[in-house]
Amino acid sequence: MNKQVDLRDGDPVDPGVATPLVSWPFFQLEFEKCIKCLQCVRICDEVQHRAVYTVDASGYPALVSGTNDFRDTQCNNCGQCVGACPTGALKDLSDTGRLPKNLREKTTTTCCYCGVGCAIEIETENGEMVAVNPSFVSEANTGNLCVKGRFGMDYLHHADRLTTPLIRRNGKDSPLEPASWAEAIEFTARRLNEVKAEHGAQSLAGLTSARATNEENFVFQKMIRCAFGTNNIDHCARLCHMASAVAFKKAVGSSAPSASTPDVGLASAFIVCGSNTTVTHPVISGQVMKAKYENGAKVVVIDPRRIEMVDHADVWLRARGGTNVAVLNGLAHIIVREGLTNPEFIAARTEGWDDYVRTLDKYTPAYVEEVSGVPADRLQEAALIYANADRGMTLWGMGITQHLTGVDGALAMANLSLMTGHLGKPGTGFIPLRGQSNVQGCSDMQGQHNNLPGYHDIKNPEHRAKFEAAWGVPMPEDEFHSVVRMELGALSGDIKAMYVMGENPMGSSPDIAEVEEGFRKLDFLVVQDLFLSETAALADVVFPAASFAEKDGTFTNTERRVQLLRKAMEPPGEARPDWQIICDVATAMGYVMSYDSTAEIMEEIASLVPSYAGIRHERLEGNGLQWPCFDTDHPGTRYLYEVDFPTPSGRAVFNVVHQDETSDDITDDQYPLNLNTGRLLEHYHTGTQSRRSRGLDHMHPEGQVEVHPEDARRLGLESGCMGRIATKHGSVEVKVVVTDRTQEGAIFYPFHFAEAPANRLTGSKMDQASDTPAFKRTAARIDRVN
């Protein structure tokens, strides 16, 4: 909030008897060690821009709530105050070390959670992680961390970690039993080859992982194409930002985000649409706060929920769910009407303007208000903020993409950047905020069905020839399946065997009842993971994998920054890095893959992927490199499209998009509410990691559904009661929270809880241009459970 620090009235603190200020189970302030330097107060106020601390009459830090519990404030448990404290008065309660910090082993690596790619320092004693600190080596986070990155790594030592291969020796009904690596590899290769021989290569499929390294994703897709002989490969981007990637390819010729984290801090205006940024990407939200409170930037938030970013917004456009395109076209209409386009940029660097601009006539503020519920005057104010800015930036999340018209929403965002010329210079551009640590890199390595690594077209003869020469086998020619279509193929019998690395479709995919039915019908299922996930529990073979802290390699973050992972400790038991397991399976199937190191794999990547041609492990110390990086002397590229666009004409393209008023899952008398799903700050993905972190799970041990007060009154619900959410696909019973964060007629439920999974409620309808499921709008009802 960037408020000035005030001296509070009250009795002086006696540090010898004062009750500590506590954020259980993460940290506490012990006054007997406090020297009143107020570094904690300043870093929270001036860097994190949160109203947490004040100063009491004695000059000691106090909480603005007047209590001793940080949960009564805006504290998000980032722990930056802990790091700033010079005396240890702010004590890290998650630190399990016994040695002084200066005697511990320290390893700088990259965080395993969201796509920001924060640099972290892992402290170890006797081969075990005891604490995590932020590192200042990377511009991705400049020394900042969120609660997951700092306090959520104890899952690494959880008793549930897989430590030995498991196989079902006597068929589907037999139990998973420990096996040697030799037996498990031989069994897997034999069964995959048998299915391939009986049903053809196209009956095989693989899911690769945004939590695995670039090198591991590269060798996985190589195994699928060369050993399996199919293009049936996909990964989690299909479920989140594939709609953005498809839109970017159409609009600017590349699927990459255009800007970088430093550019966020330089922007003078933001449109944040469909992104609960302080929850899903707290460190990026900190850069938005920096731009606002230190440099005077303006913030427009477009979201149906009253998310925390609304408290920092200059304008909040509370659109009804599913009306993104109408609102964004309405902003464009006003920008054109007010003469605030950038005609020089449009003329010199774009095409399709005339056809596009004619379609905006109907999106008047009055029409947009009727469709979306956004007041006309607020729409006008928002348009002027973005169009009048010297440096405008757009940030968005799955509130844009997870609709039946997700690609159209992302295209509408791109149109705004193009018409104002907010592209190709510092402090401008667009960033679809990636949800997992290496989802950008997984896409670059092409853990997807429709391209080869580096976005080479799988159907282009020249591109195919390049990889055939490198890999020594013909590239597959089969039509391909995306992840949901693979799962539907398993259900129909078209897909007979699957290999899943580091993903949990039994939590992340839509309509998991169908997913489970399909997986049970498979002739053979292999899962490679850290834990026996809901998906792994159905497998015929389970391989134990090393975590990010137990291996080396690279991640590519949401700003195209390629950064090193460094091994901080040994994996538990017999667990192994993913790339080694993959190479052994491929070799046992008959296609030999052998590498001495992940650095050697990166050499091969660089030889085949032009944008990674200059990437080498030895060049990535410190800040990493942002692709495109065309040779080993190239410094990397902070922002894209300064000169031209990678399209046939070198120009960006305006795309005509319209509000589809019949899209998504329509409510009716039986299912009158719209169900929206999403994340919580303290949890991640399907919870396989964060639910095994003591502190994170303490903060949110169960899923709770948000219900608007009017809906709660009408349905006889109150906070704390149990409710049954039901849709056409299934039901779950969860605790109710009555709040005006959600709109009347809508409910919100997070997707981290396997005991009551959100995706038991969602359906497999997809955006037809991207195959991204419409998670954000499902017709539902909620009934009280006594």
Side-chain angles (χ1 to χ4, degrees), residues 681-706:
L681 170 64
E682 293 83 3
H683 283 304
Y684 171 73
H685 203 237
T686 64
T688 53
Q689 294 169 207
S690 60
R691 296 291 306 284
R692 290 178 170 90
S693 167
R694 182 177 69 103
L696 299 180
D697 201 50
H698 171 83
M699 296 300 288
H700 280 285
E702 61 183 351
Q704 298 179 335
V705 60
E706 293 181 1

PDB file of all heavy atoms in Angstrom, residues 681-706:
ATOM      1  N   LEU A 681      -2.803 -18.965  -3.103  1.00  0.00           N
ATOM      2  CA  LEU A 681      -1.419 -18.531  -2.944  1.00  0.00           C
ATOM      3  C   LEU A 681      -0.538 -19.650  -2.413  1.00  0.00           C
ATOM      4  O   LEU A 681       0.584 -19.852  -2.891  1.00  0.00           O
ATOM      5  CB  LEU A 681      -1.372 -17.329  -1.984  1.00  0.00           C
ATOM      6  CG  LEU A 681       0.011 -16.882  -1.501  1.00  0.00           C
ATOM      7  CD1 LEU A 681       0.856 -16.380  -2.661  1.00  0.00           C
ATOM      8  CD2 LEU A 681      -0.121 -15.803  -0.424  1.00  0.00           C
ATOM      9  N   GLU A 682      -1.024 -20.381  -1.422  1.00  0.00           N
ATOM     10  CA  GLU A 682      -0.179 -21.339  -0.733  1.00  0.00           C
ATOM     11  C   GLU A 682      -0.081 -22.694  -1.428  1.00  0.00           C
ATOM     12  O   GLU A 682       0.683 -23.559  -0.963  1.00  0.00           O
ATOM     13  CB  GLU A 682      -0.695 -21.561   0.705  1.00  0.00           C
ATOM     14  CG  GLU A 682      -0.563 -20.349   1.596  1.00  0.00           C
ATOM     15  CD  GLU A 682      -1.700 -19.352   1.439  1.00  0.00           C
ATOM     16  OE1 GLU A 682      -2.650 -19.635   0.666  1.00  0.00           O
ATOM     17  OE2 GLU A 682      -1.634 -18.291   2.088  1.00  0.00           O
ATOM     18  N   HIS A 683      -0.831 -22.890  -2.502  1.00  0.00           N
ATOM     19  CA  HIS A 683      -0.789 -24.201  -3.148  1.00  0.00           C
ATOM     20  C   HIS A 683      -0.431 -24.089  -4.632  1.00  0.00           C
ATOM     21  O   HIS A 683      -0.362 -23.006  -5.197  1.00  0.00           O
ATOM     22  CB  HIS A 683      -2.114 -24.937  -2.958  1.00  0.00           C
ATOM     23  CG  HIS A 683      -2.259 -25.523  -1.590  1.00  0.00           C
ATOM     24  ND1 HIS A 683      -1.350 -26.395  -1.055  1.00  0.00           N
ATOM     25  CD2 HIS A 683      -3.215 -25.342  -0.634  1.00  0.00           C
ATOM     26  CE1 HIS A 683      -1.729 -26.731   0.164  1.00  0.00           C
ATOM     27  NE2 HIS A 683      -2.848 -26.097   0.447  1.00  0.00           N
ATOM     28  N   TYR A 684      -0.209 -25.259  -5.220  1.00  0.00           N
ATOM     29  CA  TYR A 684       0.357 -25.331  -6.568  1.00  0.00           C
ATOM     30  C   TYR A 684      -0.185 -26.557  -7.289  1.00  0.00           C
ATOM     31  O   TYR A 684      -0.208 -27.664  -6.727  1.00  0.00           O
ATOM     32  CB  TYR A 684       1.883 -25.406  -6.446  1.00  0.00           C
ATOM     33  CG  TYR A 684       2.640 -25.693  -7.705  1.00  0.00           C
ATOM     34  CD1 TYR A 684       2.767 -24.725  -8.702  1.00  0.00           C
ATOM     35  CD2 TYR A 684       3.267 -26.918  -7.904  1.00  0.00           C
ATOM     36  CE1 TYR A 684       3.486 -24.987  -9.851  1.00  0.00           C
ATOM     37  CE2 TYR A 684       3.995 -27.187  -9.045  1.00  0.00           C
ATOM     38  CZ  TYR A 684       4.103 -26.216 -10.022  1.00  0.00           C
ATOM     39  OH  TYR A 684       4.825 -26.465 -11.166  1.00  0.00           O
ATOM     40  N   HIS A 685      -0.652 -26.332  -8.507  1.00  0.00           N
ATOM     41  CA  HIS A 685      -1.044 -27.409  -9.408  1.00  0.00           C
ATOM     42  C   HIS A 685      -2.020 -28.342  -8.689  1.00  0.00           C
ATOM     43  O   HIS A 685      -2.968 -27.864  -8.063  1.00  0.00           O
ATOM     44  CB  HIS A 685       0.211 -28.143  -9.908  1.00  0.00           C
ATOM     45  CG  HIS A 685      -0.003 -28.872 -11.198  1.00  0.00           C
ATOM     46  ND1 HIS A 685       0.224 -30.223 -11.321  1.00  0.00           N
ATOM     47  CD2 HIS A 685      -0.413 -28.437 -12.406  1.00  0.00           C
ATOM     48  CE1 HIS A 685      -0.035 -30.609 -12.565  1.00  0.00           C
ATOM     49  NE2 HIS A 685      -0.429 -29.547 -13.249  1.00  0.00           N
ATOM     50  N   THR A 686      -1.826 -29.660  -8.753  1.00  0.00           N
ATOM     51  CA  THR A 686      -2.778 -30.585  -8.133  1.00  0.00           C
ATOM     52  C   THR A 686      -2.432 -30.915  -6.693  1.00  0.00           C
ATOM     53  O   THR A 686      -3.000 -31.841  -6.113  1.00  0.00           O
ATOM     54  CB  THR A 686      -2.876 -31.886  -8.952  1.00  0.00           C
ATOM     55  OG1 THR A 686      -1.596 -32.556  -8.927  1.00  0.00           O
ATOM     56  CG2 THR A 686      -3.271 -31.607 -10.385  1.00  0.00           C
ATOM     57  N   GLY A 687      -1.489 -30.169  -6.106  1.00  0.00           N
ATOM     58  CA  GLY A 687      -1.179 -30.328  -4.692  1.00  0.00           C
ATOM     59  C   GLY A 687      -0.199 -31.425  -4.362  1.00  0.00           C
ATOM     60  O   GLY A 687       0.105 -31.633  -3.182  1.00  0.00           O
ATOM     61  N   THR A 688       0.349 -32.143  -5.348  1.00  0.00           N
ATOM     62  CA  THR A 688       1.256 -33.247  -5.039  1.00  0.00           C
ATOM     63  C   THR A 688       2.497 -32.755  -4.296  1.00  0.00           C
ATOM     64  O   THR A 688       3.065 -33.496  -3.486  1.00  0.00           O
ATOM     65  CB  THR A 688       1.678 -33.998  -6.311  1.00  0.00           C
ATOM     66  OG1 THR A 688       2.198 -33.063  -7.259  1.00  0.00           O
ATOM     67  CG2 THR A 688       0.508 -34.736  -6.922  1.00  0.00           C
ATOM     68  N   GLN A 689       2.933 -31.523  -4.545  1.00  0.00           N
ATOM     69  CA  GLN A 689       4.067 -30.959  -3.828  1.00  0.00           C
ATOM     70  C   GLN A 689       3.599 -30.138  -2.624  1.00  0.00           C
ATOM     71  O   GLN A 689       3.984 -30.392  -1.487  1.00  0.00           O
ATOM     72  CB  GLN A 689       4.907 -30.084  -4.765  1.00  0.00           C
ATOM     73  CG  GLN A 689       5.589 -30.857  -5.872  1.00  0.00           C
ATOM     74  CD  GLN A 689       6.193 -29.975  -6.943  1.00  0.00           C
ATOM     75  OE1 GLN A 689       6.329 -30.381  -8.083  1.00  0.00           O
ATOM     76  NE2 GLN A 689       6.555 -28.763  -6.608  1.00  0.00           N
ATOM     77  N   SER A 690       2.775 -29.116  -2.877  1.00  0.00           N
ATOM     78  CA  SER A 690       2.441 -28.160  -1.818  1.00  0.00           C
ATOM     79  C   SER A 690       1.611 -28.780  -0.702  1.00  0.00           C
ATOM     80  O   SER A 690       1.706 -28.363   0.457  1.00  0.00           O
ATOM     81  CB  SER A 690       1.714 -26.944  -2.407  1.00  0.00           C
ATOM     82  OG  SER A 690       0.514 -27.321  -3.049  1.00  0.00           O
ATOM     83  N   ARG A 691       0.800 -29.790  -1.001  1.00  0.00           N
ATOM     84  CA  ARG A 691       0.021 -30.436   0.058  1.00  0.00           C
ATOM     85  C   ARG A 691       0.917 -31.279   0.971  1.00  0.00           C
ATOM     86  O   ARG A 691       0.500 -31.699   2.049  1.00  0.00           O
ATOM     87  CB  ARG A 691      -1.075 -31.332  -0.536  1.00  0.00           C
ATOM     88  CG  ARG A 691      -2.146 -30.605  -1.334  1.00  0.00           C
ATOM     89  CD  ARG A 691      -3.052 -29.731  -0.489  1.00  0.00           C
ATOM     90  NE  ARG A 691      -3.701 -30.403   0.622  1.00  0.00           N
ATOM     91  CZ  ARG A 691      -4.738 -31.232   0.529  1.00  0.00           C
ATOM     92  NH1 ARG A 691      -5.260 -31.519  -0.661  1.00  0.00           N
ATOM     93  NH2 ARG A 691      -5.274 -31.760   1.614  1.00  0.00           N
ATOM     94  N   ARG A 692       2.164 -31.515   0.529  1.00  0.00           N
ATOM     95  CA  ARG A 692       3.129 -32.240   1.359  1.00  0.00           C
ATOM     96  C   ARG A 692       4.142 -31.303   2.008  1.00  0.00           C
ATOM     97  O   ARG A 692       5.159 -31.760   2.537  1.00  0.00           O
ATOM     98  CB  ARG A 692       3.827 -33.314   0.524  1.00  0.00           C
ATOM     99  CG  ARG A 692       2.898 -34.473   0.141  1.00  0.00           C
ATOM    100  CD  ARG A 692       3.598 -35.501  -0.723  1.00  0.00           C
ATOM    101  NE  ARG A 692       2.803 -36.697  -0.897  1.00  0.00           N
ATOM    102  CZ  ARG A 692       1.918 -36.896  -1.874  1.00  0.00           C
ATOM    103  NH1 ARG A 692       1.714 -35.945  -2.780  1.00  0.00           N
ATOM    104  NH2 ARG A 692       1.238 -38.026  -1.962  1.00  0.00           N
ATOM    105  N   SER A 693       3.857 -30.015   1.957  1.00  0.00           N
ATOM    106  CA  SER A 693       4.636 -29.033   2.696  1.00  0.00           C
ATOM    107  C   SER A 693       3.877 -28.684   3.968  1.00  0.00           C
ATOM    108  O   SER A 693       2.723 -28.247   3.918  1.00  0.00           O
ATOM    109  CB  SER A 693       4.854 -27.765   1.863  1.00  0.00           C
ATOM    110  OG  SER A 693       5.350 -26.713   2.658  1.00  0.00           O
ATOM    111  N   ARG A 694       4.518 -28.870   5.124  1.00  0.00           N
ATOM    112  CA  ARG A 694       3.820 -28.709   6.399  1.00  0.00           C
ATOM    113  C   ARG A 694       3.191 -27.332   6.531  1.00  0.00           C
ATOM    114  O   ARG A 694       2.020 -27.192   6.891  1.00  0.00           O
ATOM    115  CB  ARG A 694       4.789 -28.951   7.549  1.00  0.00           C
ATOM    116  CG  ARG A 694       4.185 -28.867   8.941  1.00  0.00           C
ATOM    117  CD  ARG A 694       5.213 -29.195  10.008  1.00  0.00           C
ATOM    118  NE  ARG A 694       6.233 -28.169  10.105  1.00  0.00           N
ATOM    119  CZ  ARG A 694       6.286 -27.247  11.076  1.00  0.00           C
ATOM    120  NH1 ARG A 694       5.374 -27.252  12.026  1.00  0.00           N
ATOM    121  NH2 ARG A 694       7.242 -26.358  11.110  1.00  0.00           N
ATOM    122  N   GLY A 695       3.966 -26.298   6.241  1.00  0.00           N
ATOM    123  CA  GLY A 695       3.458 -24.941   6.415  1.00  0.00           C
ATOM    124  C   GLY A 695       2.388 -24.575   5.413  1.00  0.00           C
ATOM    125  O   GLY A 695       1.361 -23.981   5.772  1.00  0.00           O
ATOM    126  N   LEU A 696       2.612 -24.912   4.144  1.00  0.00           N
ATOM    127  CA  LEU A 696       1.637 -24.561   3.114  1.00  0.00           C
ATOM    128  C   LEU A 696       0.304 -25.253   3.364  1.00  0.00           C
ATOM    129  O   LEU A 696      -0.760 -24.642   3.251  1.00  0.00           O
ATOM    130  CB  LEU A 696       2.176 -24.922   1.729  1.00  0.00           C
ATOM    131  CG  LEU A 696       3.463 -24.218   1.292  1.00  0.00           C
ATOM    132  CD1 LEU A 696       3.875 -24.675  -0.112  1.00  0.00           C
ATOM    133  CD2 LEU A 696       3.310 -22.693   1.322  1.00  0.00           C
ATOM    134  N   ASP A 697       0.366 -26.536   3.707  1.00  0.00           N
ATOM    135  CA  ASP A 697      -0.888 -27.247   3.927  1.00  0.00           C
ATOM    136  C   ASP A 697      -1.561 -26.787   5.212  1.00  0.00           C
ATOM    137  O   ASP A 697      -2.797 -26.822   5.320  1.00  0.00           O
ATOM    138  CB  ASP A 697      -0.630 -28.759   3.975  1.00  0.00           C
ATOM    139  CG  ASP A 697      -1.899 -29.552   3.690  1.00  0.00           C
ATOM    140  OD1 ASP A 697      -2.576 -29.254   2.682  1.00  0.00           O
ATOM    141  OD2 ASP A 697      -2.232 -30.452   4.479  1.00  0.00           O
ATOM    142  N   HIS A 698      -0.782 -26.323   6.189  1.00  0.00           N
ATOM    143  CA  HIS A 698      -1.381 -25.771   7.410  1.00  0.00           C
ATOM    144  C   HIS A 698      -2.236 -24.555   7.081  1.00  0.00           C
ATOM    145  O   HIS A 698      -3.307 -24.353   7.679  1.00  0.00           O
ATOM    146  CB  HIS A 698      -0.277 -25.386   8.397  1.00  0.00           C
ATOM    147  CG  HIS A 698      -0.771 -24.621   9.592  1.00  0.00           C
ATOM    148  ND1 HIS A 698      -1.313 -25.236  10.702  1.00  0.00           N
ATOM    149  CD2 HIS A 698      -0.830 -23.289   9.850  1.00  0.00           C
ATOM    150  CE1 HIS A 698      -1.671 -24.328  11.581  1.00  0.00           C
ATOM    151  NE2 HIS A 698      -1.387 -23.134  11.098  1.00  0.00           N
ATOM    152  N   MET A 699      -1.781 -23.740   6.144  1.00  0.00           N
ATOM    153  CA  MET A 699      -2.516 -22.524   5.805  1.00  0.00           C
ATOM    154  C   MET A 699      -3.832 -22.828   5.106  1.00  0.00           C
ATOM    155  O   MET A 699      -4.845 -22.156   5.328  1.00  0.00           O
ATOM    156  CB  MET A 699      -1.652 -21.624   4.911  1.00  0.00           C
ATOM    157  CG  MET A 699      -0.391 -21.113   5.590  1.00  0.00           C
ATOM    158  SD  MET A 699      -0.730 -20.122   7.052  1.00  0.00           S
ATOM    159  CE  MET A 699      -1.387 -18.631   6.295  1.00  0.00           C
ATOM    160  N   HIS A 700      -3.833 -23.850   4.238  1.00  0.00           N
ATOM    161  CA  HIS A 700      -5.058 -24.242   3.523  1.00  0.00           C
ATOM    162  C   HIS A 700      -5.131 -25.766   3.452  1.00  0.00           C
ATOM    163  O   HIS A 700      -4.784 -26.369   2.440  1.00  0.00           O
ATOM    164  CB  HIS A 700      -5.081 -23.634   2.120  1.00  0.00           C
ATOM    165  CG  HIS A 700      -5.515 -22.213   2.086  1.00  0.00           C
ATOM    166  ND1 HIS A 700      -6.833 -21.818   2.249  1.00  0.00           N
ATOM    167  CD2 HIS A 700      -4.807 -21.077   1.928  1.00  0.00           C
ATOM    168  CE1 HIS A 700      -6.913 -20.501   2.187  1.00  0.00           C
ATOM    169  NE2 HIS A 700      -5.698 -20.023   2.000  1.00  0.00           N
ATOM    170  N   PRO A 701      -5.611 -26.405   4.508  1.00  0.00           N
ATOM    171  CA  PRO A 701      -5.642 -27.869   4.528  1.00  0.00           C
ATOM    172  C   PRO A 701      -6.805 -28.486   3.773  1.00  0.00           C
ATOM    173  O   PRO A 701      -6.848 -29.708   3.609  1.00  0.00           O
ATOM    174  CB  PRO A 701      -5.752 -28.180   6.026  1.00  0.00           C
ATOM    175  CG  PRO A 701      -6.484 -26.999   6.591  1.00  0.00           C
ATOM    176  CD  PRO A 701      -6.016 -25.815   5.789  1.00  0.00           C
ATOM    177  N   GLU A 702      -7.758 -27.660   3.324  1.00  0.00           N
ATOM    178  CA  GLU A 702      -8.921 -28.208   2.614  1.00  0.00           C
ATOM    179  C   GLU A 702      -9.435 -27.179   1.614  1.00  0.00           C
ATOM    180  O   GLU A 702      -9.200 -25.976   1.746  1.00  0.00           O
ATOM    181  CB  GLU A 702     -10.032 -28.564   3.604  1.00  0.00           C
ATOM    182  CG  GLU A 702     -10.547 -27.370   4.403  1.00  0.00           C
ATOM    183  CD  GLU A 702     -11.589 -27.740   5.439  1.00  0.00           C
ATOM    184  OE1 GLU A 702     -12.051 -28.891   5.426  1.00  0.00           O
ATOM    185  OE2 GLU A 702     -11.954 -26.880   6.248  1.00  0.00           O
ATOM    186  N   GLY A 703     -10.135 -27.665   0.617  1.00  0.00           N
ATOM    187  CA  GLY A 703     -10.755 -26.768  -0.348  1.00  0.00           C
ATOM    188  C   GLY A 703     -12.030 -26.157   0.208  1.00  0.00           C
ATOM    189  O   GLY A 703     -12.784 -26.822   0.933  1.00  0.00           O
ATOM    190  N   GLN A 704     -12.263 -24.895  -0.115  1.00  0.00           N
ATOM    191  CA  GLN A 704     -13.478 -24.202   0.302  1.00  0.00           C
ATOM    192  C   GLN A 704     -14.065 -23.473  -0.900  1.00  0.00           C
ATOM    193  O   GLN A 704     -13.322 -22.900  -1.709  1.00  0.00           O
ATOM    194  CB  GLN A 704     -13.176 -23.201   1.417  1.00  0.00           C
ATOM    195  CG  GLN A 704     -12.628 -23.839   2.682  1.00  0.00           C
ATOM    196  CD  GLN A 704     -12.320 -22.833   3.768  1.00  0.00           C
ATOM    197  OE1 GLN A 704     -12.063 -21.663   3.504  1.00  0.00           O
ATOM    198  NE2 GLN A 704     -12.352 -23.283   5.015  1.00  0.00           N
ATOM    199  N   VAL A 705     -15.372 -23.496  -1.015  1.00  0.00           N
ATOM    200  CA  VAL A 705     -16.041 -22.859  -2.140  1.00  0.00           C
ATOM    201  C   VAL A 705     -16.521 -21.466  -1.732  1.00  0.00           C
ATOM    202  O   VAL A 705     -17.144 -21.299  -0.675  1.00  0.00           O
ATOM    203  CB  VAL A 705     -17.215 -23.719  -2.672  1.00  0.00           C
ATOM    204  CG1 VAL A 705     -18.277 -23.971  -1.615  1.00  0.00           C
ATOM    205  CG2 VAL A 705     -17.825 -23.078  -3.916  1.00  0.00           C
ATOM    206  N   GLU A 706     -16.215 -20.465  -2.549  1.00  0.00           N
ATOM    207  CA  GLU A 706     -16.668 -19.103  -2.304  1.00  0.00           C
ATOM    208  C   GLU A 706     -18.065 -18.917  -2.896  1.00  0.00           C
ATOM    209  O   GLU A 706     -18.293 -19.233  -4.072  1.00  0.00           O
ATOM    210  CB  GLU A 706     -15.717 -18.097  -2.944  1.00  0.00           C
ATOM    211  CG  GLU A 706     -14.333 -18.065  -2.319  1.00  0.00           C
ATOM    212  CD  GLU A 706     -13.442 -17.027  -2.973  1.00  0.00           C
ATOM    213  OE1 GLU A 706     -13.910 -16.322  -3.909  1.00  0.00           O
ATOM    214  OE2 GLU A 706     -12.269 -16.912  -2.564  1.00  0.00           O
TER     215      GLU A 706
END
